[in-house]
């Protein structure tokens, strides 16, 4: 019952019905009072006529007659009077139309008509109130049709009280969720379309080279062994490049599409970085570079170690490739009250200022002299992995002096062991 009373529609119609009922009751009281007054006048005239006739014929009985009319008749007189009147058909069963006092008043018809007239305002009031409710229902129906037609601009008012206000807020929340879902589907569709376009574009060049090498090998039967070996070596490089590209593109697609459930486990970052550097030892030694790791002996973070290792691998490898031979690369681990930070700093050629805002974009390649054949996918994958685990990655660079990549994890927003985000 209370959920009905709280609705403003119920309050509105109840207050108006009460006001109308009070007004109609006053009018009905005045009307009945007026009718009773008319009947009273008719009774007075009838009694006056009767007293006049009796007083003229029996003057000595005037006091008794006046007493019966003004003070009430005696029981014996009433019984005798009913006996005499019954002889002339004047009894209690006499029709209202045959009653001289009531014959001209038409009281039943007038009262019925008055009641009918009084009912009309209530019907008009109820119709008016219901029309307002139906108008709100039509607005909801129209908004639902708009949602079906994927038009989400029309929202329902949320400042109303009662069930209609609750319905409006729930409907708008539903429409918002549907809008977000459709937008997410559109983004995923666009992402898949762009990804397929990027894959086909990136695979086109190595595939063309492989086709050319294969045609040369098949077409020239007298080709020297040295030339065949050279073609096969180039083919292997292109195949390795395609394999690396496809594997990393699939990894990036899984991460960006939300298909990876990152594990939450606490581990020592210094040990993870040591493993990454050891895996890259062949490249480092080929360029005779020196890598130093400073700080963070006890630094531990809560993240997915394998995926973070993948991101660190791409960032450190990027620093190796863009650093000169016999260059120096510094990896610094820091811990503050807010962040766990991993800094990867090289002393290579640096990044052009106009390239810095774009270096984390997929397939973006800046104007580099050290690695003109770069594909531009490693940093993009690293960014997706780090941000997918709640981290932040930024880059700073001074042209001709080197670049620094900073990976930060906010300490106060760490993942709990149960996989839920908690604030410490």
């Amino acid at each position: 019952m209370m959920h009905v009373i709280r609705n403003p529609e119920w309050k509105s119609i109840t207050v108006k019905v009460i006001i109308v009922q009070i007004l109609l009751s006053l009018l009905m009281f005045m009307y009945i009072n007026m009718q009773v007054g008319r009947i009273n006048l008719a009774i007075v005239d009838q009694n006056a006529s009767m007293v006049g006739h009796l007083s003229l014929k029996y003057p000595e009985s005037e006091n008794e007659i006046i007493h019966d009319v003004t003070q009430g008749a005696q029981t014996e007189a009433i019984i005798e009077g009913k006996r005499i009147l019954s002889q002339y058909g004047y009894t209690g069963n006499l029709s209202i139309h045959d009653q001289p006092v009531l014959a001209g008043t038409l009281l039943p018809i007038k009262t019925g008509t008055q009641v009918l007239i009084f009912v009309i305002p209530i019907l008009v009031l109820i119709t008016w109130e219901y029309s307002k409710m139906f108008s709100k229902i039509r607005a909801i129906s129209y908004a639902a049709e708009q949602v079906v037609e994927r038009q989400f601009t029309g929202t329902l008012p949320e400042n109303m009280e009662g069930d209609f206000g609750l319905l409006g807020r729930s409907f708008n929340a539903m429409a918002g969720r549907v809008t977000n879902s459709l937008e997410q589907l559109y983004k995923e569709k666009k992402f898949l379309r762009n990804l397929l376009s990027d894959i086909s574009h990136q695979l086109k060049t190595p595939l063309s080279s492989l086709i050319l090498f294969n045609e040369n090998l098949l077409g020239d039967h007298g080709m020297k062994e040295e030339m065949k070996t050279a073609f096969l070596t180039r083919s292997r490089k292109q195949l390795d490049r395609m394999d690396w590209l496809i594997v990393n593109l699939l990894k990036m697609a899984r991460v960006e599409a939300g298909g990876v459930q990152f594990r939450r486990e606490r581990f020592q970052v210094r040990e993870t970085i040591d493993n990454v550097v050891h895996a890259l030892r062949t490249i480092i030694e080929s360029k005779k570079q020196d890598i130093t790791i400073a700080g963070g002996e006890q630094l531990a973070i809560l993240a997915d170690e394998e995926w973070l290792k993948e991101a660190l691998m791409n960032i450190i490898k990027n620093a190796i490739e863009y650093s000169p031979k016999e260059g120096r690369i510094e990896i610094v681990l820091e811990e503050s009250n807010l962040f766990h930070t991993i800094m990867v700093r090289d002393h290579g050629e640096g990044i052009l200022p106009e390239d810095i805002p774009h270096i984390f974009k997929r397939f973006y390649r800046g104007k580099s002299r050290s690695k003109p054949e770069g594909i531009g996918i490693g940093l993009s994958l690293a960014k997706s992995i780090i941000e997918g685990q709640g981290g932040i990655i930024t880059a700073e660079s001074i042209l001709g002096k080197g670049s620094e990549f900073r990976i930060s994890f906010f300490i106060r927003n760490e993942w709990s062991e149960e996989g839920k985000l908690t604030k410490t």
Side-chain angles (χ1 to χ4, degrees):
M1 183 63 181
M2 293 302 298
H3 72 277
V4 176
I5 296 176
R6 71 182 182 182
N7 285 280
E9 293 80 14
W10 183 89
K11 296 177 184 178
S12 176
I13 193 171
T14 301
V15 171
K16 290 175 183 177
V17 167
I18 291 174
I19 293 174
V20 171
Q21 284 285 9
I22 292 173
L23 293 176
L24 294 181
S25 298
L26 291 174
L27 292 175
M28 182 67 77
F29 173 78
M30 295 171 61
Y31 170 75
I32 293 176
N33 189 58
M34 181 180 64
Q35 293 295 330
V36 171
R38 290 178 180 177
I39 294 173
N40 183 55
L41 290 175
I43 293 174
V44 170
D45 291 342
Q46 187 179 47
N47 289 337
S49 175
M50 180 179 64
V51 170
H53 282 292
L54 292 175
S55 297
L56 289 175
K57 290 187 177 184
Y58 308 101
E60 67 280 3
S61 302
E62 179 176 344
N63 290 334
E64 296 179 2
I65 295 170
I66 295 300
H67 181 274
D68 287 344
V69 172
T70 57
Q71 302 298 323
Q74 299 178 0
T75 304
E76 296 83 357
I78 293 174
I79 294 173
E80 181 62 21
K82 286 183 177 181
R83 185 188 66 78
I84 296 171
L85 290 173
S86 64
Q87 296 176 2
Y88 298 93
Y90 194 93
T91 64
N93 296 325
L94 186 66
S95 173
I96 294 177
H97 299 290
D98 296 329
Q99 174 61 260
V101 176
L102 302 175
T105 60
L106 300 175
L107 185 61
I109 298 175
K110 290 183 178 180
T111 303
T113 304
Q114 193 76 9
V115 171
L116 181 61
I117 294 174
F118 287 174
V119 169
I120 292 176
I122 296 179
L123 293 176
V124 172
L125 175 62
I126 293 175
T127 302
W128 179 33
E129 291 294 331
Y130 271 95
S131 66
K132 292 195 293 184
M133 285 191 285
F134 290 142
S135 176
K136 295 177 181 178
I137 293 173
R138 285 193 298 271
I140 295 172
S141 176
Y142 176 75
E145 291 178 1
Q146 294 293 99
V147 171
V148 172
E149 297 296 330
R150 298 188 179 184
Q151 301 292 329
F152 303 101
T153 55
T155 57
L156 298 177
E158 299 183 359
N159 56 353
M160 295 187 300
E161 298 179 358
D163 291 337
F164 276 108
L166 179 62
L167 178 61
R169 290 187 287 272
S170 300
F171 184 90
N172 291 340
M174 179 201 69
R177 293 191 185 100
V178 172
T179 303
N180 292 334
S181 298
L182 290 176
E183 289 178 354
Q184 186 64 31
L185 288 174
Y186 174 76
K187 290 179 181 178
E188 291 177 0
K189 183 178 179 181
K190 184 179 179 181
F191 167 74
L192 181 59
R193 184 175 63 248
N194 293 338
L195 181 62
L196 292 175
S197 176
D198 291 338
I199 291 175
S200 62
H201 177 72
Q202 293 298 325
L203 293 179
K204 184 177 180 180
T205 301
L207 278 174
S208 299
S209 298
L210 287 172
I211 292 171
L212 179 60
F213 295 155
N214 192 59
E215 288 179 351
N216 289 334
L217 289 171
L218 291 175
D220 189 355
H221 299 288
M223 184 178 295
K224 295 180 179 181
E225 288 297 325
E226 294 82 1
M227 187 63 69
K228 289 181 180 180
T229 302
F231 277 129
L232 290 174
T233 302
R234 293 178 184 177
S235 296
R236 186 176 62 184
K237 289 182 179 179
Q238 295 297 333
L239 287 172
D240 290 342
R241 180 177 180 180
M242 289 173 62
D243 178 68
W244 182 89
L245 176 62
I246 292 172
V247 169
N248 283 275
L249 279 173
L250 291 176
K251 288 179 182 178
M252 187 167 59
R254 288 178 59 200
V255 174
E256 294 187 5
V260 176
Q261 294 295 325
F262 293 110
R263 293 176 299 176
R264 286 97 192 180
E265 54 187 6
R266 191 172 296 279
F267 59 91
Q268 299 291 330
V269 182
R270 178 69 177 260
E271 182 179 349
T272 303
I273 294 176
D274 286 337
N275 293 333
V276 171
V277 172
H278 181 75
L280 297 172
R281 182 62 58 186
T282 302
I283 305 176
I284 296 171
E285 291 177 352
S286 66
K287 298 187 72 173
K288 299 180 180 180
Q289 294 172 336
D290 180 34
I291 293 185
T292 60
I293 305 173
E297 287 79 5
Q298 302 300 322
L299 191 150
I301 64 173
L302 201 60
D304 191 313
E305 183 178 9
E306 291 303 317
W307 279 103
L308 185 59
K309 187 185 295 183
E310 180 76 28
L312 291 171
M313 179 83 70
N314 285 323
I315 295 171
I316 297 174
K317 185 179 179 183
N318 182 80
I320 294 171
E321 292 173 343
Y322 284 93
S323 294
K325 288 186 177 182
E326 300 181 357
R328 187 175 79 258
I329 299 170
E330 302 167 4
I331 301 175
V332 181
L333 284 72
E334 290 183 352
E335 182 176 4
S336 66
N337 293 330
L338 295 178
F339 294 100
H340 293 314
T341 303
I342 305 169
M343 290 178 288
V344 179
R345 185 183 304 126
D346 66 63
H347 298 275
E349 64 184 77
I351 305 171
L352 291 172
E354 59 267 24
D355 288 335
I356 291 179
H358 309 286
I359 59 173
F360 293 110
K361 293 181 180 179
R362 187 168 61 246
F363 299 121
Y364 182 82
R365 290 180 293 182
K367 303 175 181 64
S368 171
R369 298 185 302 274
S370 300
K371 193 182 176 185
E373 74 283 358
I375 296 175
I377 192 175
L379 292 179
S380 179
L381 176 59
K383 183 175 186 292
S384 298
I385 293 172
I386 292 168
E387 292 184 350
Q389 300 187 74
I392 303 170
I393 181 170
T394 58
E396 296 179 356
S397 181
I398 299 176
L399 195 62
K401 292 187 177 182
S403 305
E404 179 180 282
F405 289 84
R406 300 175 67 92
I407 303 168
S408 301
F409 288 92
F410 191 44
I411 297 176
R412 291 186 174 273
N413 285 343
E414 286 195 337
W415 294 96
S416 70
E417 297 296 340
E418 293 78 17
K420 295 181 180 178
L421 189 64
T422 58
K423 293 184 178 181
T424 60

